[in-house]
Structure formats: structure tokens, C-alpha cells
Amino acid sequence: MTARLLVSVLMLSAALLAAPSRVALLYSDHGNSRHKDDYDKTMPRLGWSMTHFENREVGKLVPRLGEFDILLGSALFNYSNAQPLGKHGKELLDFVAKGGAIVLTDLNYTQHVNWLRELGEDWAVKLVPQDSKTHSTSWHDWGHVFYSLPHKVSLGGTWMGLAAGPAWTVLGKGKDGAATALYRSHGKGFFYLSCHWPHHENTLRNLWRGLQFHRQGLVPHLPNVETLDLGKNELAFS
């Protein structure tokens, strides 16, 4: 990869990040809606706007998806009063295809993942129980923009892992090889699923940058970010 290409990518990256993101936060009322405010302090620091929707209000959210860039599922987002999110599969897929991102955290409960199968068999994701004392994310795809541009970020671990078909890309794994984070592009946007929660500021910045790249038809992957040697590494786009 030439230095000129790297500089071009970084300049585009900086320009794309300048615009603020618009977030729709999905949460449930479990525990007195204890995760409703998980991002209330984070969003102002990022300069982003956020609108809260309890999962029972998904029928009100769906017609407004075009007002947002990211649909963010907080911890326990469909834990209580579980909604048949797959019922809105067409609208959710259209939102992503047009350049939106669906970012779901805390995928440790069946009601958080079972609806994905309704999008199509190749969308199905299953839970894999783990040892809560030892399960952590021990491998990351450090070259992926979600973990590397502009910040190096990592995932925590939980008591569950994820299993999915080849249409999904594994971005994080536990010691036993079970996935802790999954990614799938669709049109100009993507789905990003993780057992971990919450996402911190730098992770959200990376996800927003990744979404901006997707909208431009670019998904840069840097094979060795920490030891990038201009003139020797290659930058692959998919």
C-alpha cells in the first residue's frame, strides 16, 4: 500500500466523522428501565442526538427509522415485554440497506436473537452458553475498522457466546472459540451484534466511522494496524 493511499483513507475518515450521528435507543422496562439511561451522558460528549424508544414502542419507531443513522439496542433491550421484532424485518432491512446500522448489545438472552431468523435462515444467530468465570473476548479482528479506526478498542466478555452461519463475520471470539461479536453488511449499512455492553465512546466513534465508510461503498481492513509499515502492507476493500 502506498503512503498516498493511506493518507487518502485517513483524510476521508476524518471528514466522514465530522458529522454527528442520530441514534434511536431501544430499551426495555426491566428493572425500572435501568438501562434506559446508559448512554445519556455519552451522547452529549459525542455531540450526537438520541431518542429513546421502549421496546413496546417499536411500532412507533419503525415508521421513523429514516430519521436515524443508528438503531442501538441497550442492555436488556428486549428482555421484558419481548417484542416480535422480526415482524418488522422488511423495514429493518430497508433501513440498513439505505445506510443505517443496527447495533445490538447484551446478546445473552434468546429474545434478543431469536427474531433474526425471521429475516431469513442465513440471518439466524444462536446462543452458546459459556463459563461466566472464564469466558472473555480473547481474540479480536484488530484490522477491522470497528476496532481500529480511529481508536483501538476491545470487547469484554459475558456468560454467552454466539453461533451463526457463514453469512456473518466473526469479529471477536472467546477462549473456547465461540463468537462474542458478529458483523454483517447489508446494502450501504450493517448489523453489529455483541454479547458485551455497553459500548463506550471510542467504540461508538469507530462504529460511526465504519458506517460512513459503508455508505461510500468502502470497508477498509488494515491487516496490521499497530505495525503498519508504509510500502509493505496492503489495504483491502470489500
Side-chain angles (χ1 to χ4, degrees):
M1 180 183 65
T2 66
R4 180 179 298 177
L5 178 57
L6 177 61
V7 171
S8 297
V9 170
L10 294 179
M11 288 179 65
L12 175 61
S13 180
L16 293 174
L17 192 61
S21 180
R22 303 164 299 168
V23 176
L25 182 79
L26 190 65
Y27 70 96
S28 76
D29 71 353
H30 182 76
N32 197 28
S33 303
R34 71 187 192 211
H35 290 292
K36 177 182 179 180
D37 61 356
D38 280 0
Y39 297 92
D40 283 4
K41 294 181 180 179
T42 302
M43 295 301 165
R45 289 196 293 263
L46 291 170
W48 297 2
S49 63
M50 181 174 65
T51 305
H52 300 78
F53 294 90
E54 188 184 340
N55 61 339
R56 287 182 291 186
E57 299 176 308
V58 68
K60 296 179 180 179
L61 165 61
V62 167
R64 297 181 57 186
L65 283 170
E67 301 174 22
F68 305 102
D69 301 296
I70 298 172
L71 171 56
L72 175 60
S74 71
L76 304 177
F77 69 89
N78 203 33
Y79 186 81
S80 60
N81 306 306
Q83 299 298 301
L85 301 178
K87 175 183 176 181
H88 306 285
K90 181 182 183 301
E91 293 84 357
L92 293 171
L93 287 173
D94 286 347
F95 164 69
V96 174
K98 293 176 181 177
I102 293 181
V103 178
L104 303 179
T105 69
D106 191 20
L107 294 193
N108 299 299
Y109 308 99
T110 56
Q111 58 266 51
H112 285 187
V113 300
N114 58 7
W115 64 275
L116 289 164
R117 181 181 295 276
E118 297 181 49
L119 304 182
E121 283 299 316
D122 62 336
W123 287 90
V125 175
K126 297 180 180 179
L127 299 182
V128 182
Q130 307 295 320
D131 183 344
S132 62
K133 294 182 179 180
T134 61
H135 187 52
S136 62
T137 300
S138 57
W139 176 86
H140 298 75
D141 182 353
W142 293 119
H144 199 281
V145 292
F146 293 172
Y147 302 148
S148 60
L149 278 175
H151 306 283
K152 182 176 180 180
V153 299
S154 59
L155 294 170
T158 62
W159 58 93
M160 282 289 180
L162 303 171
W168 290 92
T169 299
V170 175
L171 296 186
K173 295 180 183 179
K175 293 180 180 180
D176 60 355
T180 56
L182 296 171
Y183 153 80
R184 181 168 177 173
S185 63
H186 180 67
K188 295 183 177 180
F190 62 80
F191 284 71
Y192 177 62
L193 317 179
S194 66
C195 298
H196 169 80
W197 85 92
H199 287 320
H200 300 298
E201 288 179 43
N202 285 343
T203 301
L204 292 170
R205 288 189 178 99
N206 288 7
L207 291 170
W208 176 225
R209 183 163 297 191
L211 180 58
Q212 296 281 37
F213 274 117
H214 276 73
R215 289 174 174 177
Q216 299 298 317
L218 302 172
V219 186
H221 190 278
L222 303 174
N224 194 350
V225 177
E226 291 186 322
T227 60
L228 189 63
D229 184 7
L230 298 183
K232 295 183 179 180
N233 284 278
E234 295 179 354
L235 184 64
F237 290 91
S238 59

